[in-house]
């Protein structure tokens, strides 16, 4: 703690901080503003790690006792999870999480939970629910579908998604699909700017910048303070401000016009959905608890890191039954190097249950009892052509048979990561 500071607990067990210098108290950990003293760690990582620790210690303490058991059906994942999670009290969801896939014998020591969040986050895109859609930026980020009201239960589903996202953060798991930067900023109650439009609609962003940077008075563009809005296939004109249909856009008011267009593009038609999302989220984690993060940090909290440093992956991997110089190990790393990022993500998901990494990379992978290295273990007799690789997602372990050729190893690894699903017991 900084000089003159002391940490205490209130009658609910929550920590608060006493500043004896100023004779004040606060719930905000003063250490999140301190600069770390490890010069080998980039500043943004030091700050992020301090903030993450603050969030976990103050707002994401797992309650001891009976685990929170959720039994889901793989073929009806979204609906079965919705029914159970929404029926539970928020306090019950703060107990240690235990996921069970109906009809599968796997035991959850962390791997099944990672698998659950990976798949259910993709189910949020199911057109049957009409909750989210891909942004026009081509980056696969999700934005709220303003036509979601076609589903009469859409607000309950948004509350469920809010709970689901908070549940992942609370228990330290990642979801697979991230949201747009403007949506993160709205969750953090941060103001939206023209730059945020670029994250969802680059062409529209370019046209708005052109208006700001050019003399539009001589062009006779005949623009009004209105915007075209499409709702269930029907186009209509809406005013950006009262009487906007009668106000012409000119050089002296174009900045106001662009700002109103930005707010309209990023917020129109989604306010109720966003409030339902926040309501569900705050039932597990207070929204103010995540405001220590910026929008990019919040994204990392939710989805982790998708980039793969192959040298770090190899140096952070533990070998059992194999040595670093064994031919099979050399083949394995050559195969990983030949894979594109999508296949590397599939391989990581096959072994760990998640296709994402913590901000600290492979060195910070978590297992059933805390930090757990990516592990490759030798199984089977040399030259086995029929045995497929196996994974133990709770322990981040890949059981790799000793294949006779590199081609056979690559074929079987590819088959395993692309064609297999479900959990069983050995």
């Amino acid at each position: 703690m900084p000089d003159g500071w002391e940490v205490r607990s209130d009658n609910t067990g929550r920590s608060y901080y006493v500043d004896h210098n100023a004779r004040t108290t606060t719930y905000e950990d003063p250490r999140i503003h301190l600069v770390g003293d490890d010069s080998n760690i980039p500043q943004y990582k030091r700050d992020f790690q301090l903030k993450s620790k603050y969030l976990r210690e103050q707002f994401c303490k797992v309650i001891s006792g009976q685990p929170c058991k959720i039994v889901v059906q793989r073929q009806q994942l979204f609906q079965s999870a919705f029914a159970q999670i929404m029926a539970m009290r928020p306090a019950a969801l703060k107990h240690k999480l235990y996921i069970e896939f109906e009809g599968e014998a796997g035991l959850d020591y962390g791997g099944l939970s990672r698998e659950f969040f990976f798949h259910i986050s993709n189910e949020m895109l199911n057109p049957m629910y009409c909750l989210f859609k891909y942004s026009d930026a081509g980056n696969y980020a999700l934005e709220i579908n303003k036509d979601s009201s076609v589903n009469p239960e859409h607000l309950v589903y948004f509350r469920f998604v809010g709970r689901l996202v908070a549940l992942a953060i609370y228990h330290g798991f990642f979801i697979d699909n991230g949201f747009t930067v403007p949506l993160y900023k709205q969750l953090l109650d941060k103001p939206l700017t023209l730059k945020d439009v670029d994250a969802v609609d680059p062409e529209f962003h370019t046209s708005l910048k052109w208006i700001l940077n050019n003399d539009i008075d001589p062009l006779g563009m005949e623009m009004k303070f209105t915007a075209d809005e499409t709702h269930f296939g029907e186009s209509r004109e809406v005013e950006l401000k009262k009487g906007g249909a009668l106000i012409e856009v000119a050089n002296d008011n174009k900045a106001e016009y662009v700002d109103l267009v930005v707010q309209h593009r990023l917020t129109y038609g989604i306010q109720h959905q966003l409030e339902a999302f926040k309501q569900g989220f705050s039932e597990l984690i207070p929204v103010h608890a995540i405001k220590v993060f910026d929008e990019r940090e919040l994204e990392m909290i939710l989805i982790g890191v998708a980039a793969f440093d192959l040298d770090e992956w190899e140096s952070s991997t533990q070998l059992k039954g194999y040595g670093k110089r064994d031919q099979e190990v050399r083949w394995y790393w050559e195969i990983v190097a030949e894979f594109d990022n999508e296949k590397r993500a599939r391989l990581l998901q096959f072994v760990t249950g998640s296709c994402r990494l913590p901000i600290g990379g492979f060195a910070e992978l978590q297992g059933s009892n805390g930090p757990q290295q990516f592990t490759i273990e030798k199984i089977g007799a040399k030259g086995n052509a029929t045995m497929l690789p196996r994974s133990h997602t709770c322990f981040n372990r890949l059981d790799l048979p000793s294949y006779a050729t590199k081609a056979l190893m690559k074929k079987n690894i590819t088959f395993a990561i692309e064609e297999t699903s479900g959990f069983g017991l050995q």
Side-chain angles (χ1 to χ4, degrees), residues 11 127 145 158 162 164 177 181 198 209 211 278 301 312 314 341 358-359 367 381 390:
N11 56 8
N145 183 356
F158 275 107
L164 196 66
N177 278 318
V181 170
D198 191 38
K209 277 190 69 176
I211 291 172
K278 285 184 175 182
I301 282 280
E312 192 232 343
E314 183 173 354
N341 268 339
I359 190 174
R390 296 192 305 236

Side-chain angles (χ1 to χ4, degrees), residues 283-299:
E283 287 167 355
L284 272 79
I285 302 174
V287 174
H288 69 80
I290 60 174
K291 291 185 179 179
V292 295
F293 301 99
D294 63 28
E295 56 273 17
R296 291 299 184 186
E297 291 170 331
L298 181 57
E299 182 175 49

Side-chain angles (χ1 to χ4, degrees), residues 233-370:
E234 294 185 7
S235 182
R236 59 179 178 175
E237 186 179 79
V238 295
E239 292 186 330
L240 296 174
K241 59 187 292 187
K242 188 174 182 179
L246 301 175
I247 303 173
E248 189 163 347
V249 180
N251 284 330
D252 61 351
N253 63 11
K254 65 182 181 181
E256 180 192 10
Y257 167 76
V258 168
D259 182 62
L260 291 173
V261 169
V262 167
Q263 305 308 315
H264 177 271
R265 170 62 181 86
L266 299 178
T267 66
Y268 184 80
I270 68 167
Q271 294 92 337
H272 296 304
Q273 298 93 314
L274 185 64
E275 286 307 311
F277 184 109
K278 285 184 175 182
Q279 180 188 355
F281 187 96
S282 63
E283 287 167 355
L284 272 79
I285 302 174
V287 174
H288 69 80
I290 60 174
K291 291 185 179 179
V292 295
F293 301 99
D294 63 28
E295 56 273 17
R296 291 299 184 186
E297 291 170 331
L298 181 57
E299 182 175 49
M300 286 191 290
I301 282 280
L302 275 176
I303 69 175
V305 178
F308 301 102
D309 183 327
L310 298 189
D311 291 334
E312 192 232 343
W313 192 345
E314 183 173 354
S315 64
S316 301
T317 294
Q318 181 182 12
L319 300 174
K320 292 185 178 181
Y322 284 122
K324 288 186 177 181
R325 298 182 181 274
D326 286 352
Q327 189 175 52
E328 294 91 339
V329 174
R330 295 201 306 272
W331 285 343
Y332 174 82
W333 292 117
E334 289 172 8
I335 291 167
V336 174
E338 293 166 5
F339 282 165
D340 57 22
N341 268 339
E342 181 183 353
K343 281 192 175 179
R344 290 171 191 165
R346 284 178 178 268
L347 175 60
L348 182 66
Q349 198 272 332
F350 176 73
V351 179
T352 69
S354 173
C355 64
R356 305 284 178 165
L357 293 168
I359 190 174
F362 286 91
E364 293 186 5
L365 283 177
Q366 298 294 307
S368 58
N369 295 307

